[in-house]
C-alpha cells in the first residue's frame, strides 16, 4: 500500500532553529546565571569582590612569590617569601616513599604502575574481561604487590618500618577499602539474620568497633598488644594498624549497607523466594545489587573518610603522607616561617586529588546504574 | 614541658612490666640480631629528625649510633623506632626496643616506678625564656609585668608561676592549648615573652623569619635532664649504655676527636691509653672489645662534636653549650674516669 505523496507535507522533521539572540551568548548566560534577580546580582557582586580580594594574594603566595629552588632554609628566609616549594622538592622522595631505600624504590613504582594499569580497565565499563581482571586484581595483585613491597623471592626485604609517605597512605587505605566492603556486607547480612548466634555476634562486633575511636584502636594495637604477647613475637606495627583499620571500617560499612538492605521492599525478598531462589542466590541476584546501588554515596563516603583517617597512624609512629610531611618540619635545615604552610598545602592537595577522584567516579557509577529509583 | 598524663599512662603499663619480658642478656640478643633497635622521637629538631635523604640525624640519634659502634664497630647497625611520648616507655618495657634515647626527662618516678633505668644525661634541658631583642632585656629578672605566652596544662605553666612568685615579679600569662598556637601568638606579638624548654625555644626561633631578632635569656628555671633509658635488671646492658655516654664525654675531655683518634693511639698519656683500650681490659669487662672507645669516636665523634654538629653553634639551631659544657669549662657534663 503506497502512501500518497502530498506536496505540502514535509516528509522529514525540519532542523531546529537556534534560540533567539536574547537567549544566546555570553551576555545572556550572565543574565540567566549570575544576574537573574536583584538578590542574585548582589550575591554575584559580593562573591566577585571576595574573590578579587582573596585570590591574588593566594596566587601570589602559591606561585609568583614562591621559592622554587634552594638547598636549605636560607633560600626560603627571604622577606615576603611565598610557598617554599624547594622544601617539597628536596623531600619529595620521602613524601612518596618514606624511608624506603633509594635503590629499591623502583619496586614501589612498579606496584603503583601495576595498580593503575589494573584499576583503570576495571573502572571503565566498556572494557571487556571484567571477571578475569577482577580476579587478577583481587588475588594475584595483592600477592605480587606484597612480594614487591616487602621482599622475598630473591628481592631484599624492606621492613615496613621504612615505609612511609604516600605509599603507606595508599597501602592502609586500599587494604581498608578492599577488606571492609566484603566484611561489611557479611556483617550487614549477619545483623539481619534470623539465626540468633550470627545476629548477636554481628551486632556485638559492629557496636564494639563503632563504639571505640580509631585512635584508641590504633593505640591499643601498638601499646597494649605487645605487652600481652610473649617476647620475641613482635609482629609488624603496620600489620597491626592494617588489621585495626580494616575491622574498624568494616563496622561502619556494615551499617551503611544495612541501610541499603532496609530500603529494599519486602516484595523483592518474597519475589526472590517465589521464583525458587535460596538465601544466597536471592541475595546475590536480587537484593544486594539493588541495595548496594542505593548506598553508593554512603559507601564512597566511608571510603573517603577512611582514606583521610589513615593519617591517624601517625600516633603510633607510622609516617603516612601527612605524618612524614610533619616529621620533616623538624629538620632544622628547612625550618622557616613558610615551611609548615607549604607542607600542609602539598599534603592537602595530594589528599584532595584522591578524594575528589573517588567522589567523581562514584557520581559516574550512580548515573550509570540509575534505573529509575533515583529521586530528582 | 611534659604533660601530666604521660607518667600515669606509663604507670598503667607497669602491670605488664612485672610479667615482662626481655630476657636478661640484652647484649646477647642485640648481637644475635646484628643490630640495635633504638627508640627515638617522632621528630624533634636537632635531636632526632630526618635529613633530606630520609636518614635520621640528631643528638639522640647519634647516641644510638655510638652504642651500635661500641658493640659492632659499625655506627650504621641501628634500626630506629619512632615513638610518640605515650608509647615510648611501653615499647622499652615490652622489649620492642633495646634502648630509648628520646629526649626523656629523668625523674624519680620514671626511674623507680616503671622498671626502667636512666643511664646518664646527654642533654641538660630546662625551661627558659625567649624575648625579642628589641625589648633590650638581658635577664629574666627584668621581666616584671611582662605578658608571657605559655602552653596550658604542662609543668611549664607551673614552673613559670613558681619562678615569678619566688622572685617577687608579676606577669600576665597568655595561655594556649597547643604549642602551634603559642608560636603564632608570640610571632604575632600578643606577648613579650615565650617560655618552654630551652631546646624547644631554639627550634621555634628557627621558624621565625628573622631568628636573630629573638634572644634566649640565660636563666634556666627548671631541671629537665634528658638521657638514654634502658630496662632495669640487666646490669651489663645498663653499663654499656652508661659507659658509652661516659666514653663520649671522656673522649672530649681528653681531646680525642673523630679526626685524631688514630694519632692519639700513640699518646703517652695514661688516661688516653686506658680510654683507647691500650692499657687494661675495660672494654672486655662490660662485654665489648677493648677498642670500644676507638670505635665510638671513629664512628660518631666525641660528645662535643656530636653537640656542635646537631644542635650547637655550627648547626642551624645554634644552641650555646651552657650547662652542657664539660665540667672543665664550667658546665655540668662530668664523666667518671675510666680506670
Amino acid at each position: 500500500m503506497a502512501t500518497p505523496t502530498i506536496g505540502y507535507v514535509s516528509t522529514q522533521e525540519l532542523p531546529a532553529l537556534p534560540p533567539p539572540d536574547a537567549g544566546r551568548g555570553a551576555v545572556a548566560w550572565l543574565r540567566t546565571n549570575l544576574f537573574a534577580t536583584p538578590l542574585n546580582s548582589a550575591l554575584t557582586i559580593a562573591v566577585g569582590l571576595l574573590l578579587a580580594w582573596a585570590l591574588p594574594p593566594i596566587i601570589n603566595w602559591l606561585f609568583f612569590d614562591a621559592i622554587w629552588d634552594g638547598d636549605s632554609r636560607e633560600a626560603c628566609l627571604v622577606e615576603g617569601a611565598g610557598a617554599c616549594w624547594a622544601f617539597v622538592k628536596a623531600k619529595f622522595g620521602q613524601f612518596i616513599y618514606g624511608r624506603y631505600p633509594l635503590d629499591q624504590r623502583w619496586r614501589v613504582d612498579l606496584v603503583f604502575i601495576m595498580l593503575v594499569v589494573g584499576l583503570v580497565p576495571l573502572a571503565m565499563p566498556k572494557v571487556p574481561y571484567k571477571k578475569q581482571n577482577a580476579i587478577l586484581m583481587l588475588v594475584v595483585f595483592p600477592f605480587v604487590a606484597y612480594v614487591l613491597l616487602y621482599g622475598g623471592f630473591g628481592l631484599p626485604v624492606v621492613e615496613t618500618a621504612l615505609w612511609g609517605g604516600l605509599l603507606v597512605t595508599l597501602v592502609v587505605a586500599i587494604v581498608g577499602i578492599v577488606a571492609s566492603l566484603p566484611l561489611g556486607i557479611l556483617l550487614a547480612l549477619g545483623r539481619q539474620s534470623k539465626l540468633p548466634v550470627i545476629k548477636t555476634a554481628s551486632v556485638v562486633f559492629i557496636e564494639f568497633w563503632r563504639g571505640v575511636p580509631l585512635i584508641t584502636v590504633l593505640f591499643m594495637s601498638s601499646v597494649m598488644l605487645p605487652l600481652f604477647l610473649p617476647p620475641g613475637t613482635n609482629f609488624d606495627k603496620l600489620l597491626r594498624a592494617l588489621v585495626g583499620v580494616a575491622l574498624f571500617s568494616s563496622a561502619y560499612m556494615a551499617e551503611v549497607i544495612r541501610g541499603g538492605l532496609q530500603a529494599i521492599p519486602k516484595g523483592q525478598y518474597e519475589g526472590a523466594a517465589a521464583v525458587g531462589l535460596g538465601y544466597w542466590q536471592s541475595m546475590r541476584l536480587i537484593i544486594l545489587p539493588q541495595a548496594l546501588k542505593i548506598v553508593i554515596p554512603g559507601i564512597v563516603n566511608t571510603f573517603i573518610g577512611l582514606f583521610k583517617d589513615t593519617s591517624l597512624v601517625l600516633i603510633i609512629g607510622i609516617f603516612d603522607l601527612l605524618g612524614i610531611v610533619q616529621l620533616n618540619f623538624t629538620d632544622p635545615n628547612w625550618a622557616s616561617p613558610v615551611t609548615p604552610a607549604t607542607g600542609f598545602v602539598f599534603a592537602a592537595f595530594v589528599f584532595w586529588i584522591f578524594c575528589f577522584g573517588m567522589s567523581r567516579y562514584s557520581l559516574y557509577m550512580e548515573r550509570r546504574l540509575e534505573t529509575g529509583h533515583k529521586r530528582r | 614541658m611534659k604533660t601530666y598524663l604521660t607518667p600515669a599512662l606509663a604507670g598503667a603499663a607497669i602491670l605488664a612490666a612485672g610479667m615482662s619480658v626481655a630476657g636478661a642478656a640484652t647484649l646477647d640478643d642485640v648481637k644475635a640480631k646484628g643490630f640495635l633497635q633504638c627508640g627515638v622521637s617522632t621528630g624533634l629538631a636537632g635531636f632526632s629528625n630526618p635529613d633530606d635523604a630520609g636518614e635520621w640525624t640528631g643528638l639522640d640519634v647519634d647516641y644510638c649510633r655510638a652504642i651500635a659502634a661500641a658493640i659492632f664497630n659499625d655506627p650504621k647497625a641501628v634500626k630506629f623506632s619512632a615513638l610518640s611520648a605515650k608509647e615510648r616507655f611501653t615499647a622499652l618495657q615490652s622489649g620492642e626496643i633495646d634502648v630509648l634515647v628520646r629526649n626523656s626527662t629523668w625523674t624519680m618516678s620514671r626511674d623507680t616506678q616503671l622498671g626502667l633505668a636512666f643511664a646518664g644525661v646527654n642533654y641538660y634541658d630546662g625551661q627558659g625564656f625567649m624575648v625579642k631583642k628589641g625589648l633590650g632585656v638581658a635577664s629574666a629578672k627584668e621581666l616584671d609585668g611582662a605578658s608571657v605566652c605559655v602552653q596550658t596544662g604542662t609543668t611549664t605553666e607551673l614552673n613559670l608561676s613558681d619562678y615569678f612568685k619566688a622572685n617577687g615579679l608579676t606577669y600576665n600569662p597568655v595561655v594556649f592549648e597547643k604549642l602551634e598556637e603559642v608560636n603564632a601568638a608570640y610571632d604575632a606579638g600578643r606577648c613579650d615573652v615565650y617560655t618552654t624548654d630551652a631546646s624547644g625555644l631554639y627550634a621555634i626561633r628557627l621558624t621565625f623569619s628573622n631568628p636573630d631578632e629573638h634572644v634566649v635569656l640565660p636563666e634556666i628555671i627548671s631541671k629537665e635532664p634528658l638521657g638514654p633509658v634502658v630496662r632495669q635488671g640487666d646490669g651489663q646492658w645498663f653499663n654499656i649504655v652508661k659507659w658509652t655516654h661516659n666514653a663520649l664525654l671522656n673522649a672530649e675531655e681528653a681531646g680525642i676527636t673523630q679526626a685524631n683518634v688514630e694519632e692519639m693511639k700513640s699518646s703517652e698519656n695514661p688516661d688516653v691509653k686506658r680510654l683507647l683500650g691500650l692499657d687494661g681490659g675495660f672494654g672486655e669487662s662490660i662485654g665489648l672489645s677493648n677498642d670500644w672507645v676507638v670505635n665510638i669516636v671513629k664512628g660518631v665523634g666525641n660528645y662535643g662534636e656530636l653537640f656542635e654538629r646537631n644542635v650547637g653553634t655550627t648547626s642551624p639551631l645554634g644552641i650555646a653549650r651552657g650547662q652542657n659544657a664539660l665540667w672543665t669549662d664550667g658546665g655540668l657534663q662530668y664523666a667518671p674516669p675510666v680506670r
Side-chain angles (χ1 to χ4, degrees), chain A residues 232-255:
Chain A
T233 50
N234 190 5
F235 80 95
D236 200 277
K237 215 171 180 180
L238 183 64
L239 183 66
R240 287 184 242 161
L242 282 179
V243 172
V245 166
L247 294 180
F248 185 82
S249 51
S250 64
Y252 276 86
M253 191 58 75
E255 287 299 281

Side-chain angles (χ1 to χ4, degrees), chain A residues 89-109:
Chain A
K89 207 164 149 188
K91 306 280 188 177
F92 190 75
Q94 273 190 76
F95 291 172
I96 303 298
Y97 308 96
R99 297 191 297 119
Y100 212 88
L102 284 174
D103 55 340
Q104 301 292 326
R105 283 182 179 173
W106 61 270
R107 287 157 55 176
V108 183
D109 293 335

Side-chain angles (χ1 to χ4, degrees), chain B residues 32-33 41 79 83 113 160 171 217 245 272 297 301 324 327:
Chain B
K33 275 189 297 187
S41 80
K79 290 189 180 174
L83 299 169
Q113 294 168 18
L160 173 69
Y171 73 106
L217 300 178
H245 167 64
V272 173
V297 177
N324 292 294
W327 64 287

Side-chain angles (χ1 to χ4, degrees), chain B residues 46 58-59 61 68 95 105 137 158 198 225 272:
Chain B
L59 185 65
V61 167
T105 308
V137 175
L158 304 177
V272 173

Side-chain angles (χ1 to χ4, degrees), chain A residues 223-299:
Chain A
V223 177
M224 294 309 281
L225 199 61
L227 292 173
F228 301 126
L229 294 171
T233 50
N234 190 5
F235 80 95
D236 200 277
K237 215 171 180 180
L238 183 64
L239 183 66
R240 287 184 242 161
L242 282 179
V243 172
V245 166
L247 294 180
F248 185 82
S249 51
S250 64
Y252 276 86
M253 191 58 75
E255 287 299 281
V256 169
I257 291 167
R258 193 168 66 94
L261 290 175
Q262 288 191 334
I264 306 295
K266 206 172 175 216
Q268 296 289 325
Y269 290 87
E270 290 168 349
V275 294
L277 296 179
Y279 177 79
W280 290 110
Q281 275 177 317
S282 68
M283 283 302 153
R284 190 166 59 84
L285 299 171
I286 312 278
I287 308 298
L288 280 179
Q290 301 184 69
L292 291 180
K293 190 191 73 189
I294 297 174
V295 292
I296 286 178
I299 293 177

Side-chain angles (χ1 to χ4, degrees), chain A residues 115-244:
Chain A
L115 185 69
V116 171
V117 169
L119 268 191
V120 167
L122 202 60
M124 291 198 299
K126 288 213 185 81
V127 180
Y129 303 115
K130 276 277 171 306
K131 196 178 258 174
Q132 289 85 337
N133 197 343
I135 292 173
L136 200 68
M137 286 309 287
L138 287 174
V139 182
V140 183
F141 175 73
F143 179 74
V144 176
Y146 172 81
V147 171
L148 273 172
L149 291 177
Y150 186 73
F153 291 99
L155 288 171
V157 169
V158 180
E159 294 177 12
T160 56
L162 297 178
W163 302 15
L166 188 61
L167 170 64
V168 158
T169 299
L170 287 179
V171 166
V172 176
I174 290 175
V175 169
I177 286 170
V178 170
S180 69
L181 192 58
L183 265 178
I185 292 175
L186 287 180
L187 284 169
L189 293 177
R191 196 168 185 166
Q192 295 210 319
S193 167
K194 293 192 180 66
L195 307 170
V197 175
I198 292 181
K199 187 183 166 96
T200 316
S202 304
V203 170
V204 168
F205 182 94
I206 292 171
E207 295 305 334
F208 173 76
W209 287 101
R210 271 205 318 171
V212 290
L214 182 55
I215 289 195
T216 316
V217 174
L218 294 173
F219 196 56
M220 292 291 277
S221 78
S222 106
V223 177
M224 294 309 281
L225 199 61
L227 292 173
F228 301 126
L229 294 171
T233 50
N234 190 5
F235 80 95
D236 200 277
K237 215 171 180 180
L238 183 64
L239 183 66
R240 287 184 242 161
L242 282 179
V243 172

Side-chain angles (χ1 to χ4, degrees), chain B residues 146-176:
Chain B
S147 55
V148 183
C149 278
V150 61
Q151 192 182 10
T152 186
T154 60
T155 45
T156 314
E157 203 183 359
L158 304 177
N159 293 338
L160 173 69
S161 131
D162 288 354
Y163 179 79
F164 274 78
K165 220 175 274 169
N167 287 287
L169 305 171
T170 57
Y171 73 106
N172 301 312
V174 185
V175 296
F176 297 93

Side-chain angles (χ1 to χ4, degrees), chain A residues 87-88 90-100 105 160-169 310-315 317-331 339-340 343-344 346-347 350-351, chain B residues 42-43 49-56 82:
Chain A
F87 164 72
V88 175
K91 306 280 188 177
F92 190 75
Q94 273 190 76
F95 291 172
I96 303 298
Y97 308 96
R99 297 191 297 119
Y100 212 88
R105 283 182 179 173
T160 56
L162 297 178
W163 302 15
L166 188 61
L167 170 64
V168 158
T169 299
T310 54
S311 305
L312 293 177
V313 296
L314 176 65
I315 62 148
I318 299 174
F319 296 103
D320 77 312
L321 177 64
L322 185 62
I324 202 129
V325 169
Q326 281 181 300
L327 174 66
N328 276 291
F329 295 163
T330 63
D331 184 351
T339 305
F344 283 133
F346 173 78
V350 176
F351 272 104
Chain B
T42 51
N49 61 265
D51 64 7
D52 282 359
E55 292 293 330
W56 286 102

